[in-house]
Amino acid sequence: MFHVYVLRSAVTGRLYTGSTADAQDRLRRHNAGESKATRHGIPWTLVHTETFATRAEAVTARTLLQDGPRPASS
């Protein structure tokens, strides 16, 4: 199983979206400063998760959360 997760920084209020096979371990690693992209916002709290059967589905969902749906082509 793969997860899409959304974190919120207690310091900046910024949201961060990612995907992983283990959401709780990934949260721990973000809060340990192991990710350069989120190091400045420690501590982070998990505000949303979704579970998918495949990594490809999780990555697609993460992209939609980050960028929003693409406009329909005419």
Side-chain angles (χ1 to χ4, degrees):
M1 298 305 234
F2 295 91
H3 310 280
V4 171
Y5 62 91
V6 180
L7 306 177
R8 181 181 303 277
S9 167
V11 173
T12 66
R14 180 175 168 248
L15 295 175
Y16 178 86
T17 305
S19 59
T20 185
D22 185 341
Q24 290 302 319
D25 181 61
R26 191 69 184 117
L27 173 61
R28 180 197 61 75
R29 293 185 337 188
H30 280 294
N31 281 325
E34 294 179 21
S35 172
K36 186 175 181 181
T38 59
R39 195 171 297 148
H40 70 281
I42 296 170
W44 294 88
T45 56
L46 187 63
V47 296
H48 180 75
T49 61
E50 291 181 48
T51 303
F52 298 90
T54 68
R55 182 180 302 275
E57 290 173 329
V59 169
T60 298
R62 181 193 71 206
T63 302
L64 284 172
L65 279 172
Q66 289 173 330
D67 301 338
R70 294 183 183 204
S73 49
S74 334

XYZ file of all heavy atoms in Angstrom:
575
model
N 0.834 -1.183 0.000
C 0.000 0.000 0.000
C 0.877 1.244 0.000
O 1.943 1.261 0.613
C -0.888 0.028 1.238
C -1.859 -1.134 1.315
S -2.821 -1.212 -0.163
C -4.427 -1.194 0.472
N 0.403 2.262 -0.651
C 1.124 3.529 -0.724
C 0.195 4.643 -0.279
O -1.018 4.558 -0.442
C 1.643 3.776 -2.145
C 2.662 2.756 -2.540
C 2.273 1.591 -3.173
C 3.992 2.935 -2.245
C 3.195 0.622 -3.514
C 4.930 1.977 -2.578
C 4.532 0.819 -3.216
N 0.771 5.668 0.291
C -0.016 6.743 0.892
C 0.391 8.091 0.323
O 1.565 8.338 0.061
C 0.193 6.769 2.401
C 0.017 5.436 3.039
N -1.215 4.920 3.330
C 0.907 4.499 3.400
C -1.070 3.720 3.868
N 0.227 3.446 3.920
N -0.594 8.952 0.171
C -0.375 10.372 -0.074
C -0.652 11.043 1.261
O -1.621 10.699 1.940
C -1.329 10.907 -1.163
C -1.246 12.419 -1.258
C -1.007 10.262 -2.495
N 0.209 11.964 1.649
C 0.036 12.617 2.940
C 0.191 14.125 2.803
O 0.860 14.608 1.888
C 1.039 12.082 3.972
C 2.488 12.320 3.604
C 3.153 13.468 4.026
C 3.182 11.409 2.818
C 4.481 13.689 3.688
C 4.499 11.623 2.473
C 5.148 12.771 2.916
O 6.450 12.993 2.571
N -0.471 14.847 3.697
C -0.341 16.297 3.761
C 0.092 16.642 5.177
O -0.534 16.201 6.147
C -1.667 17.017 3.406
C -1.494 18.526 3.488
C -2.159 16.598 2.024
N 1.158 17.420 5.273
C 1.663 17.888 6.556
C 1.425 19.383 6.678
O 1.398 20.096 5.677
C 3.185 17.643 6.653
C 3.694 16.240 6.410
C 5.221 16.236 6.486
C 3.100 15.267 7.397
N 1.289 19.847 7.913
C 1.198 21.284 8.171
C 2.302 21.653 9.153
O 2.463 21.019 10.192
C -0.147 21.685 8.751
C -0.242 23.202 9.006
C -1.562 23.623 9.616
N -2.701 23.231 8.826
C -3.185 23.913 7.777
N -2.603 25.030 7.405
N -4.238 23.476 7.133
N 3.027 22.719 8.834
C 4.081 23.201 9.712
C 3.483 24.022 10.840
O 2.711 24.951 10.600
C 5.066 24.077 8.933
O 5.910 24.779 9.820
N 3.863 23.693 12.070
C 3.410 24.473 13.223
C 4.092 25.836 13.264
O 3.589 26.769 13.881
C 3.693 23.711 14.518
N 5.225 25.978 12.593
C 5.984 27.233 12.598
C 5.475 28.196 11.532
O 5.214 29.363 11.817
C 7.494 26.957 12.374
C 8.269 28.241 12.196
C 8.048 26.136 13.512
N 5.324 27.707 10.304
C 4.983 28.591 9.187
C 3.538 28.463 8.726
O 3.058 29.320 7.990
C 5.888 28.293 7.973
O 5.594 26.969 7.500
C 7.357 28.414 8.335
N 2.862 27.371 9.096
C 1.509 27.113 8.609
C 1.493 26.535 7.207
O 0.431 26.219 6.667
N 2.661 26.382 6.592
C 2.783 25.862 5.235
C 2.323 24.415 5.171
O 2.486 23.659 6.113
C 4.255 25.954 4.823
C 4.540 25.447 3.445
C 6.015 25.701 3.079
N 6.328 24.947 1.879
C 7.144 23.913 1.843
N 7.760 23.506 2.938
N 7.375 23.272 0.731
N 1.751 24.043 4.025
C 1.371 22.657 3.776
C 2.427 22.004 2.899
O 3.006 22.654 2.018
C 0.015 22.577 3.076
C -1.183 23.081 3.867
C -2.436 23.049 2.998
C -1.384 22.263 5.126
N 2.665 20.724 3.122
C 3.605 19.945 2.323
C 2.917 18.641 1.957
O 2.363 17.962 2.823
C 4.887 19.659 3.109
C 5.873 18.819 2.338
C 6.785 19.403 1.473
C 5.873 17.434 2.452
C 7.679 18.642 0.744
C 6.764 16.654 1.730
C 7.667 17.267 0.877
O 8.548 16.504 0.157
N 2.945 18.277 0.685
C 2.304 17.050 0.207
C 3.366 16.089 -0.294
O 4.279 16.490 -1.019
C 1.317 17.377 -0.931
O 0.399 18.355 -0.475
C 0.563 16.138 -1.368
N 3.234 14.814 0.076
C 4.186 13.807 -0.366
C 3.518 12.462 -0.514
O 2.333 12.302 -0.234
N 4.302 11.471 -0.946
C 3.800 10.103 -1.037
C 4.864 9.162 -0.483
O 6.062 9.446 -0.577
C 3.442 9.741 -2.476
O 4.555 9.869 -3.324
N 4.419 8.050 0.090
C 5.322 7.128 0.760
C 4.632 5.793 0.993
O 3.401 5.703 0.907
C 5.784 7.716 2.114
O 6.744 6.866 2.704
C 4.614 7.908 3.068
N 5.416 4.785 1.339
C 4.846 3.500 1.730
C 4.528 3.466 3.224
O 3.735 2.642 3.670
C 5.799 2.362 1.371
N 5.115 4.365 4.013
C 4.914 4.379 5.470
C 4.777 5.823 5.955
O 5.776 6.508 6.202
C 6.100 3.695 6.154
C 5.936 3.537 7.654
O 5.102 4.249 8.258
O 6.660 2.708 8.225
N 3.538 6.287 6.088
C 3.284 7.696 6.416
C 3.810 8.090 7.797
O 4.341 9.189 7.966
C 1.789 7.997 6.310
N 3.677 7.214 8.785
C 4.141 7.558 10.130
C 5.668 7.685 10.186
O 6.205 8.600 10.815
C 3.650 6.537 11.157
C 2.156 6.602 11.398
C 1.693 7.972 11.878
O 2.339 8.610 12.704
N 0.569 8.430 11.355
N 6.373 6.779 9.509
C 7.831 6.872 9.472
C 8.269 8.109 8.710
O 9.229 8.781 9.093
C 8.442 5.618 8.849
C 9.953 5.692 8.836
O 10.556 5.781 9.926
O 10.542 5.672 7.735
N 7.561 8.430 7.647
C 7.916 9.620 6.856
C 7.716 10.878 7.687
O 8.551 11.800 7.641
C 7.070 9.663 5.581
C 7.558 10.682 4.602
C 8.913 10.268 4.020
N 9.401 11.307 3.143
C 10.522 12.006 3.356
N 11.287 11.772 4.392
N 10.877 12.938 2.511
N 6.639 10.957 8.466
C 6.421 12.095 9.359
C 7.568 12.206 10.362
O 8.094 13.295 10.595
C 5.084 11.952 10.094
C 4.801 12.993 11.178
C 4.753 14.403 10.586
C 3.510 12.650 11.900
N 7.975 11.073 10.932
C 9.085 11.075 11.884
C 10.348 11.627 11.230
O 11.054 12.453 11.812
C 9.342 9.652 12.394
C 10.496 9.570 13.392
C 11.008 8.156 13.578
N 11.532 7.545 12.370
C 12.720 7.845 11.821
N 13.499 8.759 12.347
N 13.114 7.223 10.719
N 10.606 11.203 9.993
C 11.814 11.663 9.302
C 11.746 13.148 8.956
O 12.750 13.858 9.037
C 12.059 10.810 8.061
C 12.412 9.385 8.446
C 12.786 8.492 7.310
N 12.255 8.940 6.035
C 12.310 8.257 4.921
N 12.867 7.082 4.878
N 11.804 8.726 3.807
N 10.555 13.641 8.581
C 10.411 15.085 8.341
C 10.724 15.846 9.626
O 11.447 16.845 9.609
C 8.996 15.431 7.876
C 8.747 15.160 6.428
N 9.365 15.845 5.400
C 7.922 14.267 5.820
C 8.944 15.400 4.232
N 8.056 14.435 4.462
N 10.181 15.391 10.742
C 10.384 16.084 12.019
C 11.791 15.911 12.577
O 12.214 16.683 13.433
C 9.334 15.649 13.039
C 8.021 16.342 12.795
O 7.977 17.498 12.395
N 6.932 15.630 13.020
N 12.536 14.929 12.078
C 13.927 14.739 12.490
C 14.876 15.594 11.644
O 16.084 15.576 11.870
C 14.311 13.263 12.388
N 14.338 16.328 10.679
C 15.168 17.188 9.847
C 15.865 16.463 8.716
O 16.821 16.982 8.147
N 15.400 15.270 8.358
C 16.050 14.478 7.317
C 15.676 14.904 5.898
O 16.253 14.412 4.940
C 15.744 12.993 7.520
C 16.340 12.434 8.794
C 16.028 10.966 9.015
O 15.698 10.259 8.035
O 16.114 10.525 10.173
N 14.717 15.803 5.762
C 14.313 16.291 4.448
C 14.654 17.770 4.339
O 14.154 18.596 5.107
C 12.804 16.095 4.247
O 12.395 16.728 3.052
N 15.507 18.107 3.380
C 15.913 19.504 3.200
C 14.704 20.408 2.904
O 14.643 21.540 3.361
C 16.932 19.583 2.061
C 17.536 20.935 1.880
C 18.625 20.906 0.819
C 19.236 22.279 0.659
N 20.280 22.288 -0.376
N 13.738 19.870 2.177
C 12.572 20.664 1.777
C 11.693 21.064 2.958
O 10.983 22.067 2.889
C 11.744 19.899 0.756
N 11.712 20.286 4.042
C 10.820 20.574 5.169
C 11.549 20.920 6.459
O 10.915 21.181 7.476
C 9.886 19.379 5.435
O 10.681 18.221 5.709
C 8.973 19.119 4.254
N 12.856 20.942 6.421
C 13.653 21.186 7.627
C 13.285 22.514 8.312
O 13.259 22.595 9.532
C 15.136 21.179 7.248
C 16.059 21.068 8.404
C 17.481 20.856 7.930
N 17.586 19.592 7.207
C 18.422 19.372 6.204
N 19.243 20.320 5.806
N 18.450 18.214 5.607
N 12.991 23.537 7.528
C 12.700 24.868 8.076
C 11.364 24.943 8.824
O 11.142 25.885 9.566
C 12.686 25.893 6.940
C 11.502 25.701 6.038
N 11.476 24.709 5.073
C 10.299 26.303 5.996
C 10.298 24.748 4.460
N 9.578 25.702 4.995
N 10.465 23.977 8.627
C 9.122 24.086 9.197
C 8.847 23.201 10.395
O 7.708 23.094 10.846
N 9.879 22.554 10.930
C 9.702 21.627 12.054
C 9.117 22.366 13.246
O 9.576 23.468 13.560
C 11.064 20.987 12.426
C 11.579 20.133 11.272
C 10.980 20.186 13.700
C 13.019 19.669 11.448
N 8.128 21.820 13.909
C 7.520 20.502 13.766
C 6.368 20.501 12.754
O 5.692 21.496 12.553
C 6.988 20.198 15.171
C 6.607 21.542 15.705
C 7.642 22.500 15.121
N 6.160 19.332 12.161
C 5.090 19.095 11.201
C 4.054 18.180 11.839
O 4.402 17.304 12.624
C 5.632 18.424 9.946
C 6.556 19.307 9.171
C 7.900 19.439 9.351
C 6.199 20.204 8.122
N 8.414 20.355 8.465
C 7.390 20.838 7.699
C 5.009 20.522 7.490
C 7.411 21.773 6.672
C 5.036 21.447 6.473
C 6.217 22.075 6.063
N 2.795 18.397 11.486
C 1.739 17.483 11.919
C 1.052 16.910 10.685
O 0.924 17.586 9.658
C 0.684 18.181 12.811
O 0.151 19.296 12.105
C 1.285 18.631 14.119
N 0.630 15.673 10.788
C -0.056 14.991 9.698
C -1.512 15.432 9.708
O -2.210 15.254 10.700
C 0.064 13.482 9.902
C -0.435 12.573 8.803
C 0.359 12.790 7.515
C -0.332 11.127 9.249
N -1.976 16.045 8.615
C -3.354 16.537 8.566
C -4.247 15.749 7.618
O -5.473 15.869 7.684
C -3.417 18.044 8.229
C -2.768 18.864 9.322
C -2.793 18.353 6.890
N -3.639 14.924 6.726
C -4.461 14.169 5.780
C -3.647 13.011 5.213
O -2.462 13.169 4.928
C -4.915 15.072 4.628
C -5.750 14.384 3.607
N -7.059 14.046 3.829
C -5.454 13.952 2.357
C -7.537 13.442 2.747
N -6.577 13.373 1.845
N -4.287 11.852 5.040
C -3.671 10.733 4.323
C -4.716 10.054 3.449
O -5.903 10.063 3.772
C -3.076 9.660 5.267
O -4.110 9.125 6.079
C -1.956 10.209 6.115
N -4.264 9.512 2.348
C -5.083 8.678 1.471
C -4.249 7.458 1.116
O -3.043 7.577 0.927
C -5.457 9.418 0.186
C -6.415 10.567 0.401
C -6.761 11.255 -0.909
O -7.099 10.554 -1.896
O -6.680 12.487 -0.951
N -4.881 6.305 0.999
C -4.179 5.053 0.716
C -4.528 4.560 -0.683
O -5.693 4.616 -1.101
C -4.561 3.993 1.761
O -4.251 4.500 3.054
C -3.801 2.695 1.533
N -3.497 4.058 -1.385
C -3.654 3.568 -2.750
C -2.973 2.213 -2.885
O -2.035 1.912 -2.156
C -3.042 4.564 -3.748
C -3.732 5.900 -3.713
C -3.294 6.889 -2.853
C -4.835 6.145 -4.504
C -3.937 8.115 -2.784
C -5.487 7.369 -4.449
C -5.033 8.354 -3.586
N -3.421 1.428 -3.846
C -2.873 0.085 -4.055
C -1.494 0.117 -4.692
O -0.665 -0.749 -4.431
C -3.828 -0.745 -4.918
N -1.229 1.121 -5.519
C 0.060 1.178 -6.218
C 0.733 2.523 -6.024
O 0.079 3.537 -5.752
C -0.109 0.946 -7.734
O -0.819 2.065 -8.294
C -0.847 -0.354 -8.045
N 2.051 2.515 -6.197
C 2.819 3.765 -6.112
C 2.360 4.729 -7.213
O 2.245 5.940 -6.977
C 4.311 3.478 -6.256
C 5.173 4.729 -6.137
C 6.657 4.437 -6.278
N 7.150 3.484 -5.313
C 7.554 3.801 -4.077
N 7.493 5.048 -3.664
N 8.005 2.859 -3.275
N 2.081 4.225 -8.408
C 1.656 5.082 -9.522
C 0.368 5.829 -9.182
O 0.240 7.025 -9.477
C 1.479 4.260 -10.793
N -0.591 5.145 -8.565
C -1.845 5.804 -8.166
C -1.568 6.885 -7.122
O -2.146 7.972 -7.174
C -2.825 4.784 -7.591
C -3.390 3.826 -8.608
C -4.229 2.731 -7.979
O -3.959 2.309 -6.831
O -5.168 2.283 -8.653
N -0.690 6.589 -6.178
C -0.362 7.556 -5.127
C 0.322 8.792 -5.715
O -0.003 9.926 -5.344
C 0.516 6.914 -4.057
N 1.238 8.592 -6.644
C 1.945 9.723 -7.254
C 0.980 10.584 -8.063
O 1.042 11.815 -8.024
C 3.129 9.218 -8.117
C 3.711 10.339 -8.971
C 4.196 8.615 -7.217
N 0.062 9.948 -8.780
C -0.941 10.704 -9.536
C -1.813 11.537 -8.600
O -2.068 12.715 -8.855
C -1.818 9.747 -10.370
O -0.983 9.067 -11.303
C -2.907 10.494 -11.114
N -2.248 10.940 -7.503
C -3.080 11.661 -6.530
C -2.298 12.802 -5.886
O -2.833 13.895 -5.673
C -3.590 10.703 -5.459
N -1.023 12.564 -5.577
C -0.191 13.615 -4.981
C -0.064 14.792 -5.937
O -0.193 15.947 -5.544
C 1.203 13.075 -4.651
C 2.098 14.130 -4.014
C 3.542 13.700 -3.967
N 4.070 13.718 -5.318
C 5.067 12.978 -5.741
N 5.668 12.123 -4.941
N 5.494 13.066 -6.976
N 0.141 14.509 -7.215
C 0.258 15.572 -8.209
C -1.029 16.378 -8.301
O -0.997 17.611 -8.378
C 0.628 14.980 -9.588
O 1.864 14.270 -9.449
C 0.774 16.053 -10.639
N -2.168 15.705 -8.258
C -3.453 16.420 -8.289
C -3.626 17.306 -7.060
O -4.122 18.425 -7.160
C -4.615 15.437 -8.391
C -4.839 14.820 -9.762
C -5.886 13.718 -9.683
C -5.257 15.885 -10.747
N -3.219 16.815 -5.895
C -3.313 17.629 -4.679
C -2.395 18.839 -4.752
O -2.748 19.932 -4.321
C -2.956 16.802 -3.439
C -4.047 15.927 -2.879
C -3.493 15.030 -1.770
C -5.185 16.767 -2.332
N -1.209 18.659 -5.293
C -0.236 19.749 -5.366
C -0.614 20.787 -6.423
O -0.502 21.980 -6.191
C 1.163 19.211 -5.692
C 1.773 18.444 -4.553
C 3.080 17.767 -4.959
O 3.277 17.389 -6.108
N 3.952 17.602 -3.997
N -1.039 20.311 -7.608
C -1.235 21.199 -8.742
C -2.686 21.482 -9.094
O -2.965 22.395 -9.855
C -0.568 20.599 -9.988
C 0.910 20.363 -9.802
O 1.515 21.000 -8.924
O 1.463 19.524 -10.532
N -3.617 20.672 -8.586
C -5.015 20.793 -8.975
C -5.245 20.093 -10.299
O -4.299 19.715 -10.990
N -6.491 19.914 -10.666
C -6.794 19.229 -11.931
C -6.361 20.077 -13.122
O -6.378 21.305 -13.068
C -8.303 19.034 -11.897
C -8.798 20.022 -10.906
C -7.677 20.292 -9.947
N -5.990 19.410 -14.188
C -5.602 20.109 -15.411
C -6.864 20.506 -16.164
O -7.825 19.757 -16.199
C -4.735 19.218 -16.279
C -3.428 18.918 -15.632
C -2.547 18.104 -16.521
N -1.335 17.789 -15.788
C -0.192 17.504 -16.357
N -0.115 17.446 -17.652
N 0.860 17.249 -15.620
N -6.854 21.682 -16.791
C -8.025 22.090 -17.563
C -8.238 21.167 -18.761
O -7.267 20.665 -19.337
C -7.696 23.506 -18.023
C -6.280 23.763 -17.671
C -5.794 22.658 -16.780
N -9.493 20.945 -19.100
C -9.818 20.101 -20.258
C -9.345 20.808 -21.530
O -9.481 22.020 -21.671
C -11.311 19.851 -20.326
N -8.798 20.026 -22.451
C -8.356 20.631 -23.716
C -9.554 20.794 -24.638
O -10.492 20.015 -24.624
C -7.276 19.778 -24.365
O -7.683 18.440 -24.410
N -9.517 21.840 -25.447
C -10.657 22.134 -26.320
C -10.592 21.389 -27.608
O -9.666 21.065 -28.175
C -10.742 23.600 -26.663
O -10.176 24.430 -25.746
